[in-house]
Amino acid sequence: MAPEVDLFVPCLTDTFHPRAAAATVAVLEHLGCRVHFPDDQTCCGQAHRNAGCTDDAAALIRRMAQVFPGERPIVTPSGSCAAMVARHAVDLVPGDDPDAPAVRSLAARTRELSRFLLDDLRLDVTQLGARWPGDPTTAAWHFPCHLRELGGDRAALQVLAGIEGLRVAPIPDAERCCGFGGTFAVDEPAISGALGRDKARSFLASGAEILICDESGCALQIAGTLSRLGHRPRLVHFAEVLAESLGLAIPGEEIVP
């Protein structure tokens, strides 16, 4: 029987990078999953929690638990939203609250895409015949901070390493934040901008032709900064890379700086 999963598409992905969500569906279906998309889903409350509005964040998490009931894994192409739900949702709802069991279930079932592919589906990409289309290409991988919190950075690199014709180059100071940080970019624009420029220059120093990032907020930050520095490299989500390497059609447009 094909595994069934629920798809959670975060706000930034839905608004600015829907092709990443489409690629996620294409990959999951190609691997035999039946993908369900609850139409009532909205925000996970991450921005509210980061801004200190914990009551609003808790209300959104309670609602999300109602929108995603049952036992199916909840897969998302966003490391930061996955971390918000999987690691922090239970802190917003007390253990003696009537909604606490549903929130605990929500947190336990939420998966970032690359971790789901390796941990749940036991994916061996080398057996899929994945090959980067066209000439061999050098790519750089951006390590989103929240994805490192989940251990998903190494999972994604493990998958990418199995794609023929794609070499992932190290970025100098790869562990450094890109400076987006959601509301941080609004509250501390000078620091955010400086971090963004450092990250953009690190990417340029890698000599890579494309930048792979599976966090839409980070992608917007880096793409915008590179554009202001006079560079417009191709920037793609991890799911887009895998889908293209498997020869899958992906509707929608890429992030354009």
Side-chain angles (χ1 to χ4, degrees):
M1 180 180 296
E4 299 194 31
V5 303
D6 285 339
L7 177 67
F8 169 45
V9 179
C11 307
L12 286 178
T13 303
D14 183 47
T15 304
F16 296 105
H17 201 177
R19 192 173 189 264
T24 299
V25 174
V27 168
L28 291 173
E29 291 183 340
H30 181 77
L31 297 176
C33 294
R34 293 182 59 193
V35 181
H36 302 266
F37 181 80
D39 291 332
D40 293 339
Q41 61 181 278
T42 55
C43 179
C44 67
Q46 179 187 186
H48 306 72
R49 177 181 176 273
N50 292 347
C53 302
T54 54
D55 289 344
D56 293 327
L60 287 166
I61 280 295
R62 293 174 193 273
R63 185 182 186 282
M64 188 171 177
Q66 295 172 356
V67 172
F68 290 93
E71 300 179 354
R72 290 194 293 256
I74 303 162
V75 182
T76 179
S78 167
S80 65
C81 291
M84 165 62 190
V85 179
R87 299 293 299 273
H88 305 295
V90 294
D91 297 332
L92 295 169
V93 180
D96 58 354
D97 190 284
D99 292 328
V103 171
R104 286 197 297 270
S105 172
L106 174 77
R109 291 182 291 118
T110 298
R111 308 279 197 276
E112 183 273 328
L113 175 62
S114 65
R115 289 244 60 101
F116 177 75
L117 296 180
L118 287 185
D119 297 344
D120 292 68
L121 297 187
R122 306 296 182 185
L123 174 69
D124 182 353
V125 70
T126 60
Q127 296 182 357
L128 297 177
R131 188 185 191 287
W132 182 251
D135 296 331
T137 299
T138 299
W141 165 255
H142 169 60
F143 290 81
C145 299
H146 288 94
L147 186 59
R148 292 201 298 271
E149 183 180 5
L150 295 172
D153 51 344
R154 301 302 168 187
L157 284 174
Q158 185 175 334
V159 174
L160 292 170
I163 298 176
E164 184 182 351
L166 184 71
R167 185 180 78 87
V168 179
I171 297 180
D173 300 318
E175 304 295 322
R176 181 178 296 178
C177 176
C178 72
F180 178 68
T183 55
F184 175 80
V186 178
D187 295 334
E188 301 288 349
I191 300 175
S192 173
L195 287 169
R197 289 188 291 275
D198 286 345
K199 178 62 66 173
R201 293 182 182 118
S202 292
F203 164 70
L204 294 173
S206 74
E209 301 162 74
I210 65 173
L211 177 62
I212 305 172
C213 176
D214 75 341
E215 183 55 56
S216 296
C218 299
L220 289 168
Q221 168 84 340
I222 299 169
T225 303
L226 284 167
S227 177
R228 288 188 289 275
L229 292 174
H231 300 275
R232 298 173 68 86
R234 188 181 182 205
L235 196 153
V236 290
H237 190 279
F238 161 78
E240 294 175 273
V241 173
L242 186 52
E244 290 183 23
S245 299
L246 294 171
L248 307 178
I250 317 170
E253 298 180 356
E254 298 178 3
I255 283 186
V256 179

